[in-house]
Amino acid sequence: MIDFGYTLTRDRQLDYDRGDFRYLKLVKSLEPSMDLCIGCGSCTATCSAAGFTNFNIRRLHTVIRRGDPESIKAELKKCMFCGKCQLVCPRGVNLRNLILAMNRAIEILG
Amino acid sequence: MDNTVIVIGGGISGLTAAGMLAQQGLDVTLLEKENETGGHLARWDRLFPDRKKASEVLDFAMEGLNKVKIVTGVAITGISRQDHEFTVSTNLRDSGYGMQDAGYQSPVPSPQSPVPSTQSPVPSPQSQYTASALLVATGFDLFEARKKEEYGYGIYNNVITSADLEEQFKSGRKVLTSEGKTPGRIGFIHCVGSRDEKVGNLYCSKICCVTGVKQAIELKEMFPESEVFNFYMDLRMFDRHFEELYYEAQQKWGVSFIRGRLSECSENPDGSIILKTEDTLTGKPLKMTVDLLVLLSGFVPSGGTRGISKMLGLQEGTDGFINSADQHSQNNLSGIEGVFLAGAIKGPISVSESVADARAAAAQIACYLSSFKVTND
Amino acid sequence: MIKFNLFVLPFSLGLIYIVTSIVMHYYRWIKALPAVDKVKLSAGIRTPSKVLASLKEIFLEGLIHRKLWKRNPLLGYMHMSFAFGWFLLIVMGNLESRVYHGAYINAPYYPIFLKFFIHDRLVLFFEIFTVPAFFRFIMDFLLLFVLSGLVLAWIKRKQSKWFGMKQTTMHNFFDRVALSCLWLIFPMRLLAESYTAGYFHGGGGFLTQNLGNLLVMITPGPAELIAYFFWWTYSLVLGLFFIMMPYSRYMHIPSELLLIVFRHCGIQPRKWGSSFSDLEVRSCSRCGVCIDACQLNFAAGINTIQAVYLIRSQREQYIPENIAQTCMLCGRCQEACPVGIKIDSLRLIKRREIGSGQVSDFSYLTNPHPGFADVVYFAGCMSQLTPSIPIAMEGIFKEAGINYLFIDRNGSICCGRPLMLAGKDKQANELIEFNKTLIRQTRAKLLVTSCPICYKVFREEYNLPIRIQHHSQYLLELVKDGKIALQSQHRRVVYHDPCDLGRGGNIYQAPRELLGKISDLEPVEKDRTNALCCGGSLALMGTSMRTKDEVTLDALESLLAGDPDILVTACPLCKKTFSKLSKTEVRDIAELVYDAIPSRKTRIAGTVKDPEVVIS
Ligand SMILES: Cc1cc2nc3c(=O)[nH]c(=O)nc-3n(C[C@H](O)[C@H](O)[C@H](O)COP(=O)(O)OP(=O)(O)OC[C@H]3O[C@@H](n4cnc5c(N)ncnc54)[C@H](O)[C@@H]3O)c2cc1C
Ligand code: SF4
Ligand code: SF4
Ligand code: SF4
Ligand code: SF4
Ligand code: SF4
């Protein structure tokens, strides 16, 4: 790539200090169990939607936690809401409600 | 108060403590529900981290036992207490009363049993034993892997547990798939029945990570051509030489570690197993076919403990294991005077820790019986 | 001769008010009906059979309170004595007034206050066989009947558990006023009539006359004035009750009457709500039966979300989201509701309002041709986590020599119901279309599913031109057709009715018949329409796992009370949910059927294998 001295794409790193934590706050208030996630990936592994397309539910709720919720808006729409993810989560995260809550946050915060 | 002690449970913890106590001149009776002593250790082949033979560890523990009265194959039916004396009532276990008249004999110890048969007095169907102190060392049970139905244990023939594998190693036979083939690819699944809200166990079983690493190495040793993958959430190499074993597994044996938990598996017509997990480090769902799948089953509170616990009123934690009076400085005290705890009854624990814990319990009991109180109760 | 006294005014005004109000309400409800429903209504009220059926139900439910009787006789009697007793008092009172009044048109107050205007004496003993005496007896008897209900109602406030109720509902201001009036009406009537009878030494029946004589004897002061005072209070409480009624819970009585007619005309709740649902909301009597029926209440201590509260907040035009979302949609309350309100639909209407704003994008789905077969087998998403079920089903298909296609072997497109349960019908429809195409392409004649959740949505939303069966029905049919022969294993089993199969799909008999052939089926306390939910419901949003566990544990305790060998269910989700906490083995009915095929060639699903056999 030619170096123009500036970049059109966002930073590749998570800039935690400039993160957008409004989603986290709202989603967490709607589904507190999101804090229990240990990132095991079972939810993504079992996911019905992930069987057909590039969709990673674990990543979606992780990026919210990291203050980088940009990508979730387009991604979340792929969820079929089947609830398999919730059935395998070893931490008892209420994933279906978490997904609802994330949808809600998108609705409210844009 | 005299110098009599009853040890309940003849696993490595119970055996070690009994030996220590007997060597200090105390009068020790050991009650074991199975026909043989040794507990889980008797089922394992080689131990992590140094691959020492489990039988050698057991043999060592047996050395001090010639003065211990060992009673095997008994079911404890009641425990009562009067002042400072406990009375433990027992029945013969699977025999039933009538068996005695029908020529019932004490279970003949198998050839490799560490218990010399002369030490097993023929117990009468109903007996009572009295002592001034009780040591409860009733250990743990293995998690019943069938409970994780989506992992296919008991459904798919090529899904086995770490304990199955250990027994297989012990038998000295080659580990083959159910179709009798050499497994080309083997998967280990960590945290089966542990750290899993879905089976009601939130705790970590602590020893299965290192067991998984040890067994992965052993399989690579057996089949250098095979690929071995360990699927983990966290690798808990908590003790000395454990991390090095992990290092060795990667460096010397080429074992691969994938950070992701199995969600479910299915079976191919040829009997191989398809795993579904996420490779969380690349952020992609991962599918893999393996010829053999090993589930690292964790610890659960033992059924044998539950009965004793009810009789004595031991404190069960929310995880079902028995709580000691204080995890830091009174970890062998049960909170009930004269009742002591040792080993896996208090939760997941390795052999070296069991041995140390058993010795600590023995020391504490000796103190107690000589009225030298280490605690203020 | 016009009989009139000022004190009749409060009653008369109240009556005018309530009648106008009811007429207006009825008008509004009918007017607001969607056009299709209006057509149904006008056709319905012209069909004698439907009118008759409505009247019958109004009589049985509105007056006799048959459903409450079934629930608890004491509760049934209490409601019946009030409703039916009052009704008879009005009817008999009118007839009685004819005896004294020849006119065709009576002032409405006249029969109500008859004893104020008429007080003939009973002269001779044999006069008890005369018409007036007969009425005097009947009227007193009915009054006593109503009063007995009142006493029971009073006891119920203190001892609700005698009435099979653990909870009673909360009241608002209007309810309280109306209730106080209601409590006073009949005692006031008793006192007014008694004093009058006592003062005039006649006109009363066995109750009012004797009580009146006694009262006049023991109370000092002018009996005539006292009587007059009570006539005023009687009229006042009646009038006040009528005026309060439209604002209080008692509006449910006229509402329910119309609701019954609507229902008999075939009007159904609509997805986005309609006048029908509004009427349902007004028809709730706030009896609290739904609170007692709800496992979230009695097993998990959540007692703010039940139907009665959902309906109350609906009436107050505001439903907090958690009321809408915290519910398993198990249908237990709906089954128990004496008014027959479609509670699940009401809740779903609200969920649609909340959930419909969000959009989905399923453009990633592709439709490879699935192949052809006679029978399509759709195991359902959840069955992938309970592999014993599809394994057993495939084994059975093979044993029976069926040309089948396991359409979701490698992962399925969700059936859509989970989305619907969250109020996302539009999104669900996209999935439904995909699955429909997939199923149609197979040219199968029969769709068999292992999942009651799928079963329900297949039947209700898919409009497929083929037969749809849950595996419990299908397996029974295979047995009946002689395709598979079974041998009982004689294990003691209990059967758990999955919500969506039982209350949701009305399948109770097939699994029982099947189990009867292969095991020793034992009864459980709560089954069929009264069966408990396993606690795993996909409809329950926003509660902790702990809450779900509490529901599950409670259900297990009830199901396993007889210590059976196996707990059998017919739903992968129930199986998964129960397995987590059950000490007893939990299995699906398909697994049991498979085990019971003596000739099966393939291996047994779900049984422990011998480790020695596994690795040679
Ligand atoms: C797969 C696996 C592999 C392992 N590998 C290793 C390893 O390589 N290295 C290592 O350090 N550790 C290993 N461990 C851990 C090791 O097995 C334990 O630390 C050890 O067995 C604990 O000993 P224990 O005596 O406390 O309990 P147990 O071994 O469980 O012994 C308890 C004894 O009490 C008896 N008992 C129970 N109830 C009653 C009753 N009511 N009445 C009478 N008797 C009763 C039981 O029959 C049993 O004999 C492994 C564990 C597992 C699961
Ligand atoms: S609910 Fe959504 S995220 Fe969860 S498994 Fe189903 S499709 Fe995947
Ligand atoms: S399954 Fe649960 S713990 Fe694992 S990544 Fe998903 S939410 Fe986190
Ligand atoms: S020791 Fe490892 S495998 Fe075992 S429960 Fe803990 S993290 Fe899981
Ligand atoms: S919804 Fe039905 S059961 Fe509940 S209070 Fe209203 S009428 Fe009673
Ligand atoms: S549907 Fe079930 S969970 Fe919901 S309120 Fe009714 S009884 Fe309770």
Side-chain angles (χ1 to χ4, degrees), chain C residues 590-609:
Chain C
E591 299 171 46
L592 256 68
V593 169
Y594 189 42
D595 275 0
I597 300 178
S599 62
R600 72 186 173 280
K601 294 171 206 90
T602 25
R603 69 164 183 277
I604 304 166
T607 47
V608 221
K609 52 161 203 233

PDB file of all heavy atoms in Angstrom, chain C residues 590-609:
ATOM      1  N   ALA C 590     -38.596 -41.687  21.826  1.00  0.00           N
ATOM      2  CA  ALA C 590     -38.056 -42.372  20.649  1.00  0.00           C
ATOM      3  C   ALA C 590     -36.951 -43.352  21.042  1.00  0.00           C
ATOM      4  O   ALA C 590     -36.846 -44.442  20.488  1.00  0.00           O
ATOM      5  CB  ALA C 590     -37.528 -41.348  19.646  1.00  0.00           C
ATOM      6  N   GLU C 591     -36.149 -42.958  22.017  1.00  0.00           N
ATOM      7  CA  GLU C 591     -35.084 -43.849  22.465  1.00  0.00           C
ATOM      8  C   GLU C 591     -35.664 -45.121  23.058  1.00  0.00           C
ATOM      9  O   GLU C 591     -35.174 -46.230  22.825  1.00  0.00           O
ATOM     10  CB  GLU C 591     -34.219 -43.167  23.533  1.00  0.00           C
ATOM     11  CG  GLU C 591     -33.523 -41.910  23.087  1.00  0.00           C
ATOM     12  CD  GLU C 591     -32.869 -41.201  24.278  1.00  0.00           C
ATOM     13  OE1 GLU C 591     -32.211 -41.871  25.088  1.00  0.00           O
ATOM     14  OE2 GLU C 591     -33.057 -39.985  24.412  1.00  0.00           O
ATOM     15  N   LEU C 592     -36.719 -44.946  23.842  1.00  0.00           N
ATOM     16  CA  LEU C 592     -37.342 -46.105  24.468  1.00  0.00           C
ATOM     17  C   LEU C 592     -37.948 -47.040  23.430  1.00  0.00           C
ATOM     18  O   LEU C 592     -37.846 -48.268  23.540  1.00  0.00           O
ATOM     19  CB  LEU C 592     -38.421 -45.655  25.462  1.00  0.00           C
ATOM     20  CG  LEU C 592     -38.004 -45.757  26.924  1.00  0.00           C
ATOM     21  CD1 LEU C 592     -36.931 -44.757  27.226  1.00  0.00           C
ATOM     22  CD2 LEU C 592     -39.192 -45.576  27.832  1.00  0.00           C
ATOM     23  N   VAL C 593     -38.571 -46.428  22.432  1.00  0.00           N
ATOM     24  CA  VAL C 593     -39.169 -47.240  21.372  1.00  0.00           C
ATOM     25  C   VAL C 593     -38.064 -48.027  20.671  1.00  0.00           C
ATOM     26  O   VAL C 593     -38.190 -49.226  20.419  1.00  0.00           O
ATOM     27  CB  VAL C 593     -39.928 -46.349  20.368  1.00  0.00           C
ATOM     28  CG1 VAL C 593     -40.324 -47.146  19.139  1.00  0.00           C
ATOM     29  CG2 VAL C 593     -41.154 -45.743  21.025  1.00  0.00           C
ATOM     30  N   TYR C 594     -36.979 -47.351  20.400  1.00  0.00           N
ATOM     31  CA  TYR C 594     -35.895 -48.017  19.699  1.00  0.00           C
ATOM     32  C   TYR C 594     -35.354 -49.184  20.528  1.00  0.00           C
ATOM     33  O   TYR C 594     -35.106 -50.276  20.004  1.00  0.00           O
ATOM     34  CB  TYR C 594     -34.795 -47.006  19.386  1.00  0.00           C
ATOM     35  CG  TYR C 594     -33.729 -47.549  18.480  1.00  0.00           C
ATOM     36  CD1 TYR C 594     -34.070 -48.329  17.379  1.00  0.00           C
ATOM     37  CD2 TYR C 594     -32.386 -47.294  18.722  1.00  0.00           C
ATOM     38  CE1 TYR C 594     -33.105 -48.838  16.538  1.00  0.00           C
ATOM     39  CE2 TYR C 594     -31.409 -47.798  17.883  1.00  0.00           C
ATOM     40  CZ  TYR C 594     -31.766 -48.572  16.797  1.00  0.00           C
ATOM     41  OH  TYR C 594     -30.810 -49.078  15.980  1.00  0.00           O
ATOM     42  N   ASP C 595     -35.205 -48.954  21.798  1.00  0.00           N
ATOM     43  CA  ASP C 595     -34.730 -50.023  22.689  1.00  0.00           C
ATOM     44  C   ASP C 595     -35.691 -51.203  22.710  1.00  0.00           C
ATOM     45  O   ASP C 595     -35.304 -52.321  22.995  1.00  0.00           O
ATOM     46  CB  ASP C 595     -34.618 -49.498  24.127  1.00  0.00           C
ATOM     47  CG  ASP C 595     -33.289 -48.817  24.358  1.00  0.00           C
ATOM     48  OD1 ASP C 595     -32.492 -48.777  23.408  1.00  0.00           O
ATOM     49  OD2 ASP C 595     -33.070 -48.330  25.477  1.00  0.00           O
ATOM     50  N   ALA C 596     -36.976 -50.909  22.444  1.00  0.00           N
ATOM     51  CA  ALA C 596     -37.991 -51.952  22.583  1.00  0.00           C
ATOM     52  C   ALA C 596     -38.177 -52.767  21.315  1.00  0.00           C
ATOM     53  O   ALA C 596     -39.026 -53.642  21.254  1.00  0.00           O
ATOM     54  CB  ALA C 596     -39.314 -51.319  22.999  1.00  0.00           C
ATOM     55  N   ILE C 597     -37.392 -52.461  20.286  1.00  0.00           N
ATOM     56  CA  ILE C 597     -37.481 -53.272  19.060  1.00  0.00           C
ATOM     57  C   ILE C 597     -36.556 -54.472  19.238  1.00  0.00           C
ATOM     58  O   ILE C 597     -35.338 -54.324  19.242  1.00  0.00           O
ATOM     59  CB  ILE C 597     -37.043 -52.465  17.821  1.00  0.00           C
ATOM     60  CG1 ILE C 597     -37.941 -51.235  17.666  1.00  0.00           C
ATOM     61  CG2 ILE C 597     -37.102 -53.331  16.575  1.00  0.00           C
ATOM     62  CD1 ILE C 597     -37.571 -50.351  16.502  1.00  0.00           C
ATOM     63  N   PRO C 598     -37.115 -55.663  19.428  1.00  0.00           N
ATOM     64  CA  PRO C 598     -36.248 -56.792  19.748  1.00  0.00           C
ATOM     65  C   PRO C 598     -35.326 -57.144  18.583  1.00  0.00           C
ATOM     66  O   PRO C 598     -34.219 -57.611  18.784  1.00  0.00           O
ATOM     67  CB  PRO C 598     -37.223 -57.940  20.022  1.00  0.00           C
ATOM     68  CG  PRO C 598     -38.590 -57.391  19.883  1.00  0.00           C
ATOM     69  CD  PRO C 598     -38.520 -56.023  19.302  1.00  0.00           C
ATOM     70  N   SER C 599     -35.776 -56.859  17.368  1.00  0.00           N
ATOM     71  CA  SER C 599     -35.004 -57.316  16.219  1.00  0.00           C
ATOM     72  C   SER C 599     -33.989 -56.283  15.741  1.00  0.00           C
ATOM     73  O   SER C 599     -33.356 -56.478  14.719  1.00  0.00           O
ATOM     74  CB  SER C 599     -35.978 -57.594  15.081  1.00  0.00           C
ATOM     75  OG  SER C 599     -36.641 -56.387  14.749  1.00  0.00           O
ATOM     76  N   ARG C 600     -33.853 -55.156  16.470  1.00  0.00           N
ATOM     77  CA  ARG C 600     -33.044 -54.078  15.913  1.00  0.00           C
ATOM     78  C   ARG C 600     -31.617 -54.555  15.629  1.00  0.00           C
ATOM     79  O   ARG C 600     -31.033 -55.305  16.408  1.00  0.00           O
ATOM     80  CB  ARG C 600     -33.028 -52.864  16.853  1.00  0.00           C
ATOM     81  CG  ARG C 600     -32.209 -53.080  18.087  1.00  0.00           C
ATOM     82  CD  ARG C 600     -32.338 -51.928  19.050  1.00  0.00           C
ATOM     83  NE  ARG C 600     -31.655 -52.294  20.281  1.00  0.00           N
ATOM     84  CZ  ARG C 600     -32.182 -53.066  21.204  1.00  0.00           C
ATOM     85  NH1 ARG C 600     -33.404 -53.520  21.074  1.00  0.00           N
ATOM     86  NH2 ARG C 600     -31.487 -53.398  22.270  1.00  0.00           N
ATOM     87  N   LYS C 601     -31.131 -54.103  14.490  1.00  0.00           N
ATOM     88  CA  LYS C 601     -29.809 -54.569  14.067  1.00  0.00           C
ATOM     89  C   LYS C 601     -28.727 -53.616  14.549  1.00  0.00           C
ATOM     90  O   LYS C 601     -27.632 -54.023  14.894  1.00  0.00           O
ATOM     91  CB  LYS C 601     -29.759 -54.664  12.540  1.00  0.00           C
ATOM     92  CG  LYS C 601     -30.685 -55.728  11.999  1.00  0.00           C
ATOM     93  CD  LYS C 601     -30.766 -55.635  10.476  1.00  0.00           C
ATOM     94  CE  LYS C 601     -32.063 -56.193   9.954  1.00  0.00           C
ATOM     95  NZ  LYS C 601     -33.130 -55.168   9.861  1.00  0.00           N
ATOM     96  N   THR C 602     -29.078 -52.356  14.547  1.00  0.00           N
ATOM     97  CA  THR C 602     -28.081 -51.372  14.948  1.00  0.00           C
ATOM     98  C   THR C 602     -27.976 -51.302  16.465  1.00  0.00           C
ATOM     99  O   THR C 602     -28.813 -51.840  17.174  1.00  0.00           O
ATOM    100  CB  THR C 602     -28.449 -49.985  14.376  1.00  0.00           C
ATOM    101  OG1 THR C 602     -29.845 -49.970  14.176  1.00  0.00           O
ATOM    102  CG2 THR C 602     -27.730 -49.748  13.095  1.00  0.00           C
ATOM    103  N   ARG C 603     -27.007 -50.578  16.949  1.00  0.00           N
ATOM    104  CA  ARG C 603     -26.783 -50.623  18.395  1.00  0.00           C
ATOM    105  C   ARG C 603     -27.765 -49.731  19.141  1.00  0.00           C
ATOM    106  O   ARG C 603     -28.421 -48.867  18.581  1.00  0.00           O
ATOM    107  CB  ARG C 603     -25.354 -50.228  18.722  1.00  0.00           C
ATOM    108  CG  ARG C 603     -25.085 -48.779  18.447  1.00  0.00           C
ATOM    109  CD  ARG C 603     -23.821 -48.321  19.123  1.00  0.00           C
ATOM    110  NE  ARG C 603     -23.679 -46.900  18.864  1.00  0.00           N
ATOM    111  CZ  ARG C 603     -23.149 -46.432  17.758  1.00  0.00           C
ATOM    112  NH1 ARG C 603     -22.688 -47.248  16.836  1.00  0.00           N
ATOM    113  NH2 ARG C 603     -23.078 -45.132  17.564  1.00  0.00           N
ATOM    114  N   ILE C 604     -27.853 -49.990  20.399  1.00  0.00           N
ATOM    115  CA  ILE C 604     -28.821 -49.308  21.240  1.00  0.00           C
ATOM    116  C   ILE C 604     -28.363 -47.881  21.503  1.00  0.00           C
ATOM    117  O   ILE C 604     -27.214 -47.642  21.853  1.00  0.00           O
ATOM    118  CB  ILE C 604     -28.962 -50.039  22.583  1.00  0.00           C
ATOM    119  CG1 ILE C 604     -29.332 -51.500  22.328  1.00  0.00           C
ATOM    120  CG2 ILE C 604     -29.992 -49.358  23.450  1.00  0.00           C
ATOM    121  CD1 ILE C 604     -29.169 -52.357  23.551  1.00  0.00           C
ATOM    122  N   ALA C 605     -29.282 -46.996  21.333  1.00  0.00           N
ATOM    123  CA  ALA C 605     -28.937 -45.600  21.557  1.00  0.00           C
ATOM    124  C   ALA C 605     -28.954 -45.285  23.044  1.00  0.00           C
ATOM    125  O   ALA C 605     -29.814 -45.733  23.772  1.00  0.00           O
ATOM    126  CB  ALA C 605     -29.945 -44.706  20.852  1.00  0.00           C
ATOM    127  N   GLY C 606     -27.983 -44.531  23.442  1.00  0.00           N
ATOM    128  CA  GLY C 606     -28.037 -43.954  24.771  1.00  0.00           C
ATOM    129  C   GLY C 606     -27.677 -44.873  25.921  1.00  0.00           C
ATOM    130  O   GLY C 606     -27.651 -44.451  27.055  1.00  0.00           O
ATOM    131  N   THR C 607     -27.421 -46.146  25.665  1.00  0.00           N
ATOM    132  CA  THR C 607     -27.075 -47.008  26.792  1.00  0.00           C
ATOM    133  C   THR C 607     -25.569 -47.028  26.956  1.00  0.00           C
ATOM    134  O   THR C 607     -24.826 -46.823  26.009  1.00  0.00           O
ATOM    135  CB  THR C 607     -27.590 -48.428  26.581  1.00  0.00           C
ATOM    136  OG1 THR C 607     -27.248 -48.809  25.272  1.00  0.00           O
ATOM    137  CG2 THR C 607     -29.085 -48.494  26.745  1.00  0.00           C
ATOM    138  N   VAL C 608     -25.132 -47.311  28.157  1.00  0.00           N
ATOM    139  CA  VAL C 608     -23.680 -47.308  28.393  1.00  0.00           C
ATOM    140  C   VAL C 608     -23.060 -48.465  27.633  1.00  0.00           C
ATOM    141  O   VAL C 608     -23.572 -49.560  27.625  1.00  0.00           O
ATOM    142  CB  VAL C 608     -23.333 -47.568  29.871  1.00  0.00           C
ATOM    143  CG1 VAL C 608     -22.207 -46.683  30.309  1.00  0.00           C
ATOM    144  CG2 VAL C 608     -24.538 -47.513  30.749  1.00  0.00           C
ATOM    145  N   LYS C 609     -21.986 -48.154  27.050  1.00  0.00           N
ATOM    146  CA  LYS C 609     -21.261 -49.236  26.395  1.00  0.00           C
ATOM    147  C   LYS C 609     -20.224 -49.779  27.352  1.00  0.00           C
ATOM    148  O   LYS C 609     -19.858 -49.135  28.316  1.00  0.00           O
ATOM    149  CB  LYS C 609     -20.596 -48.687  25.160  1.00  0.00           C
ATOM    150  CG  LYS C 609     -19.809 -47.470  25.565  1.00  0.00           C
ATOM    151  CD  LYS C 609     -18.784 -47.042  24.660  1.00  0.00           C
ATOM    152  CE  LYS C 609     -17.862 -46.249  25.551  1.00  0.00           C
ATOM    153  NZ  LYS C 609     -17.503 -45.018  25.243  1.00  0.00           N
TER     154      LYS C 609
END
